[in-house]
Amino acid sequence: RDIFLPPFKSMIDAGVATIMVNSGEGNGQPIHSSHEYLVGMLRDELGCKGVAVTDWDDIGKLHGVHRVSPNEKESTYLAITAGVDMSMAPYNANYADYAVALVREGRIPAERIEQSARRILQLKEDLGLFDNPLATGSLDVIGSDEHTAVAREAARASLVKLKNANQTLPAARTTRGLVTGPAAEAH
């Protein structure tokens, strides 16, 4: 609370429009399934009004990594009821289908989905996407020689070289190590 919350409070007070939910856990509970963190802390305590979006496929990870649900549909239920507004899953569009099914089953009130839809539509309105939904001209430069050169330079600048001075890598099969943390026993 002393270290991590003040910067979040500052950006929320400054009017941040979106929050990407942390992929980890807090006190053993995945943040994407925590009503305490996403509604209690983020919305009620810090006053966030923006869109809460997942990181890369984190709803699927509630089942596959954190193992707090038996399947992806239940992961979707946990995330929506915890306060997630939008799922970022680039290769999987099941979130919308599961949300509709959960509303039809009466497990999630339609008002909860409407709340997220209002936040997302407000963000689009604030960004002017209804006035000018397509960027003009900017799509022409994607994949251009200039952009490829910039991307290549960024990749070169971000490389990390590992010095194997003691020849410790690769580790021998008899080498012992300690794996610790909340996902230490996850397979």
Side-chain angles (χ1 to χ4, degrees):
R1 289 187 156 276
D2 293 342
I3 295 170
F4 295 111
L5 285 190
F8 281 89
K9 179 65 174 153
S10 294
M11 69 179 190
I12 289 167
D13 289 346
V16 69
T18 65
I19 296 280
M20 180 171 280
V21 181
N22 181 284
S23 299
E25 299 179 1
N27 297 323
Q29 182 179 19
I31 304 301
H32 284 80
S33 66
S34 176
H35 190 271
E36 176 186 354
Y37 284 112
L38 296 182
V39 174
M41 185 179 290
L42 182 65
R43 301 279 185 206
D44 296 341
E45 183 179 336
L46 297 178
C48 180
K49 304 286 188 234
V51 175
V53 62
T54 70
D55 202 346
W56 195 274
D57 196 31
D58 276 338
I59 292 177
K61 291 176 186 171
L62 289 174
H63 166 66
V65 175
H66 299 285
R67 305 207 185 272
V68 295
S69 70
N71 54 50
E72 192 178 345
K73 181 179 179 183
E74 292 306 307
S75 295
T76 302
Y77 171 79
L78 291 174
I80 292 172
T81 57
V84 168
D85 293 315
M86 181 186 292
S87 171
M88 182 173 49
Y91 307 118
N92 178 342
N94 294 337
Y95 177 79
D97 293 334
Y98 290 140
V100 169
L102 290 162
V103 169
R104 287 185 177 148
E105 293 167 11
R107 295 183 59 205
I108 294 178
E111 294 80 19
R112 172 63 193 95
I113 303 301
E114 291 166 2
Q115 180 183 50
S116 290
R118 274 192 303 277
R119 288 181 184 136
I120 294 164
L121 292 171
Q122 185 62 58
L123 174 63
K124 289 182 175 195
E125 173 70 25
D126 293 346
L127 293 172
L129 295 179
F130 295 120
D131 299 327
N132 184 17
L134 297 175
T136 54
S138 64
L139 299 178
D140 299 336
V141 297
I142 295 174
S144 68
D145 290 342
E146 179 186 356
H147 280 217
T148 301
V150 171
R152 186 173 288 117
E153 182 54 35
R156 283 187 184 120
S158 65
L159 289 175
V160 176
K161 293 181 182 178
L162 179 64
K163 187 174 183 178
N164 195 15
N166 298 343
Q167 301 301 311
T168 55
L169 297 174
R173 289 192 175 272
T174 56
T175 302
R176 295 181 61 174
L178 173 66
V179 178
T180 186
E185 294 183 42
H187 299 282

